[in-house]
């Protein structure tokens, strides 16, 4: 899939914490209807077969909406279903190794908290960076805080696009204006909302005004 920085404007990252009897597939569809521009499937506890089945379903949905489908961490699953790409953290496989496994056309995202990490990821072939946590977040206990100054320094040090993550809401995203990011990655701001579609639509409208 052709990938450009516009795909990072509203990057939805899944979380099963707020299913409340609903399926993740139906929640992702609501996010896509609301205008999510990219979906990352994040599953930390799921068995391989169940993960594969879920990944295939959500990938099919993302293709219908023509939105990139990214698998978090699990390069094996991403390769098995021919996902659009994979996102890896600093403790996971490094970008150059991921590229060798997935090939030249897949999207590779890497988490970074410092300029050094950002430059290394770019050098190893990352297509974009996820930088955070830019605000306090309850969805990732081990997330390190990244200041506005560091976020800006990372954006200025690399040529690849940067998306901010961590505690971002419609109300606080304006604080990231001028940092150089091209979009926001959100978890609870979409998936914990009472009306997921409306939340995604509102986030996207604000993100367009702030970063568009």
């Amino acid at each position: 899939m052709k990938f450009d920085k516009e795909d990072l404007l509203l990057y939805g990252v899944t979380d099963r914490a707020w299913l409340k009897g609903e399926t993740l597939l139906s929640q992702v569809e609501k996010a896509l209807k609301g205008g999510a521009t990219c979906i990352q499937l994040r599953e930390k506890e799921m068995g391989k077969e169940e993960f594969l089945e879920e990944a295939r379903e959500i990938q099919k949905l993302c293709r219908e909406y023509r939105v990139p489908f990214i698998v978090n961490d699990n390069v094996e699953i991403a390769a098995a279903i021919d996902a659009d790409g994979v996102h890896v953290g600093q403790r996971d496989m490094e970008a150059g190794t991921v590229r060798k496994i997935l090939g030249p056309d897949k999207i590779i995202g890497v988490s970074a908290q410092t300029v050094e990490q950002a430059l290394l990821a770019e050098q190893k072939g990352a297509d974009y960076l996820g930088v955070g946590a830019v605000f306090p977040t309850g969805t990732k206990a081990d997330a390190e805080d990244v200041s506005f100054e560091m976020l800006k320094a990372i954006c200025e040090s690399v040529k690849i696009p940067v998306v901010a993550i961590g505690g971002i809401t419609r109300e606080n995203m304006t604080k990231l204006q001028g940092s150089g990011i091209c979009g926001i990655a959100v978890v609870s701001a979409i998936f914990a909302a009472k009306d997921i579609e409306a939340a995604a639509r509102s986030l996207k409208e604000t993100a367009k005004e702030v970063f568009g």
Side-chain angles (χ1 to χ4, degrees):
M1 162 175 270
K2 183 181 170 292
F3 169 76
D4 55 42
K5 65 179 189 177
E6 282 75 29
D7 294 324
L8 297 173
L9 182 66
L10 181 59
Y11 185 131
V13 181
T14 68
D15 192 320
R16 306 185 73 78
W18 302 288
L19 288 183
K20 301 184 190 86
E22 202 177 345
T23 66
L24 193 63
L25 186 71
S26 109
Q27 289 197 338
V28 169
E29 180 149 35
K30 287 174 184 174
L32 289 166
K33 277 182 181 166
T37 56
C38 185
I39 294 290
Q40 181 190 126
L41 177 62
R42 187 158 82 189
E43 291 290 4
K44 297 290 188 184
E45 314 295 333
M46 196 174 262
K48 185 182 171 183
E49 291 310 312
E50 203 182 348
F51 193 169
L52 267 171
E53 188 181 336
E54 180 182 74
R56 284 195 181 102
E57 281 185 341
I58 293 175
Q59 173 173 255
K60 185 168 177 273
L61 190 61
C62 287
R63 285 187 175 159
E64 284 168 22
Y65 283 83
R66 297 183 180 176
V67 160
F69 174 67
I70 308 288
V71 175
N72 179 259
D73 291 351
N74 200 317
V75 180
E76 187 188 353
I77 296 277
I81 67 161
D82 195 27
D84 297 313
V86 73
H87 186 94
V88 290
Q90 286 296 315
R91 297 185 192 94
D92 305 314
M93 199 182 287
E94 62 99 13
T97 311
V98 177
R99 179 66 70 206
K100 281 179 191 158
I101 295 167
L102 295 185
D105 303 325
K106 297 301 181 184
I107 304 161
I108 297 175
V110 176
S111 298
Q113 279 90 28
T114 67
V115 169
E116 290 76 17
Q117 289 174 356
L119 288 168
L120 183 63
E122 181 179 47
Q123 182 194 329
K124 297 287 186 182
D127 294 295
Y128 74 91
L129 299 172
V131 177
V134 292
F135 299 114
T137 171
T139 60
K140 211 163 184 220
D142 63 345
E144 292 176 42
D145 291 345
V146 174
S147 67
F148 179 87
E149 290 72 25
M150 178 57 76
L151 178 63
K152 191 173 183 196
I154 287 171
C155 291
E156 287 170 353
S157 72
V158 294
K159 294 184 178 70
I160 56 177
V162 175
V163 60
I165 188 166
I168 299 168
T169 64
R170 193 172 65 82
E171 292 72 31
N172 68 19
M173 79 168 83
T174 53
K175 292 180 182 173
L176 303 174
Q177 195 162 21
S179 62
I181 61 170
C182 58
I184 54 166
V186 291
V187 188
S188 59
I190 289 179
F191 292 103
K194 282 196 176 108
D195 186 333
I196 290 171
E197 186 179 337
R201 187 169 291 114
S202 169
L203 282 160
K204 188 178 185 181
E205 281 167 11
T206 307
K208 260 188 189 162
E209 287 167 23
V210 178
F211 313 114

